[in-house]
Amino acid sequence: MGERKKSSAVEVSSVKKKKEKKTKDNNKQREQKEKEESQSIMKQQKSTTSRSKKENQRKATEDYQSLRESELSGDEVHGTDRDVDNADDHHEEDQTDGSEGHRGVEESDSSEDEVAPRNTIGDVPLEWYKDEKHIGYDISGKKITKKERQDKLASFLANVDDSKSWRKIYDEYNDEEVELTKEEIRLVQRLLKGKAPDADFDQYADYVDWFKYDDALHPLSNAPEPKRRFIPSKWESKKVVQYVRAIRKGLIKFDEPKEEEPKFYLLWGDDSSAAEKANHLAYIPAPKPKLPGHEESYNPSLEYIPTQEELNSYQLMYEEDRPKFIPRRFTSLRSVPAYENAVKDSFERCMDLYLCPRVRKKRVNIDPETLKPKLPSRKDLKPYPVACYLEYKGHKGAVVSISTEASGEWFASGSTDGTVRIWEVESGRCLRVLEIGEAIQYVAWNPLPELPVLAVSAGQDVLILNTGLGNEEEQRRVKDLLHVETPTAPDDNIASIVSWLQHDKLDGIRLRHFKMVSSVEWHRRGDYLSTVMPAGESRAIFMHQLSKKLSHRIPFKLHGLPVSSVFHPTRSIFFVSTKKNIRVYDLLKQRLIKKLETGLKEVSSIAIHPAGDNLIVGSREGKLCWFDMDLSSKPYRVLKCHPKDITNVAFHRSYPLFASCSDDCTAYVFHGMVYSDLNQNPLIVPLEILRGHTSSNGRGVMDCKFHPRQPWLFTAGADSVIRLYCH
């Protein structure tokens, strides 16, 4: 065994000697190669220094032209092996052109570190001096005027003539042009290529291993790097493809860049306003507990100490209603015991602070008078009816309807006692009483002053009666007009619905309908009149021609139960009111023009403005709606004025007035001015509340009509009295 160990040691020593000889031979060969390479480099340097100056100038011009072309094309500048742009690749060119580079740096005066800026404008953006003639101030406080800038054409021609224009940059801060040196151009080129600015910086330097392996207890891992660290991740590429597709489809949307607003601030402003606008939560102090009073004193006065009866009554109370503290008297402060509910009260206080939210509410001090609409004074809107001037008494039942004659001297009234009375307006004298024999529903005077004819609806009959007013010629014309020779009808169906008959007792015509007639309205020319039968279904509204004694249905389909119908005051337009809506028809074209949506539970009456573009609607719920048909199909104004049903509404023919009457025994008068300018909305002002009627069987004022010429209002009440209100 000993001999074997000696022989193995000899073999190991011989192997080591052979290895040392090989390494020495290799080192000698490397030294010889390095000497030969250094000699060749020295020869090349000598040959380069012996070149002529003309050849160097030619190379410099070629380098300048290559740089100029690369700048104009917008591509990255790729230099040659000369002294302009290969300072970062080969140290040889740094040695040849190093002197020129150092001279350029010494001659340059564009460095901000060496030359202080002349323009001292402080911490102010340059945009503020965009429209000014000066840019900042010098040390002595004088304005520094801007240099006159050339227009684009002049600057382009100057750049063409100047061979160094590509090196020049405009400095906005100092308002001057700066020419870049070669060293600065090299620095810019290296930055554009993504390299280090300093050419001496070695990005691929040899790694210096600072770890010491001599004293290490555990050796580092010598395993090779895994392959996955050098192969691109497939999962990441798939994820990128998903994101790209989502962006193209619009599933992922990027935030739009916000427009940067100019940031202005007050030089002399207070910082308190900025603190309020901070995004953090404002501190809200907790409400302080109630301070102790005389009751909590250790020796209160006798008036605060409860008696025995009061203490017994506290025991009968609920625990929530009992007083939390009962005052007691002690001789000294030392004899006061500990408070029993101290822990409980502190715990409840902490719970209140923790659970009860506190919100800071900013109160706005507003004068209530400023919230009211600015309306004109009532004194400026006179005349309008204010007080009762006359009372017309004679009817024994409730006065249901009234109607004024065109001249304003007479008016007619119909009552449930079955009579129609004709009154003189100024004197209050009853001129004539017409016995109909049935409860009156509606009376309507012919709008033509030369035809003193009155239409009366009673039950299923519509009576067209001669009032006996006017001169002989008018009476002769009225008798001829109201004469019916034989009952005629254009169609058998119409004859079964409406029949024209001569009245046997009164001087007039009887129009027999198949259902009860609720209202009658005359056309403005006085030859046509319309009748409404609410129970008539599709045959509810008829039109009658007095001169030809003809009747026909309206050529429109009715939607719902009709309430009333009105002719347009100036045009051939017909309004039909149902319980919910109002439809406007053109009689010439026989088509629907507009549908007005009231939004009411039930419509009771309508009235058309004399101009024809506005109308008012009364309802059973006490609301009054004003419609501007040029504006919208919905109400312009809704007035909640009456607590009970509105029975009728009316417009004045010449004054800007309208009124409404209700079962609450009142009549409201309003100022309603309609302007010719379409851009100006109607002016509605409440003026007066007229009272005086008394309630009878739950009914109040049944009807109201304006005088055709004066600002007077007639009201008919369920108390069988007619009142005239004047200004």
Side-chain angles (χ1 to χ4, degrees), residues 262-311:
K263 297 180 180 179
F264 302 110
Y265 60 92
L266 297 175
L267 294 175
W268 310 105
D270 191 6
D271 294 335
S272 61
S273 61
E276 293 179 358
K277 296 180 181 179
N279 295 327
H280 59 79
L281 295 174
Y283 171 71
I284 303 174
K288 295 181 179 180
K290 183 182 178 181
L291 296 175
H294 295 288
E295 297 178 355
E296 285 79 4
S297 175
Y298 76 95
N299 190 13
S301 58
L302 295 175
E303 59 185 3
Y304 292 103
I305 297 174
T307 60
Q308 188 63 34
E309 295 178 357
E310 293 177 350
L311 293 174

Side-chain angles (χ1 to χ4, degrees), residues 530-545:
S530 66
T531 58
V532 177
M533 295 174 286
E537 297 179 354
S538 62
R539 300 171 294 178
I541 299 177
F542 268 80
M543 288 189 182
H544 312 280
Q545 188 176 3

Side-chain angles (χ1 to χ4, degrees), residues 445-451 453 464 481 521-529 544-547 567:
W445 209 295
N446 193 294
L448 296 179
E450 60 270 14
L451 284 177
V453 176
I464 304 175
L481 186 64
E521 290 291 338
W522 286 95
H523 190 264
R524 66 180 184 277
R525 295 181 181 177
D527 192 23
Y528 291 89
L529 72 156
H544 312 280
Q545 188 176 3
L546 185 59
S547 59
F567 288 97

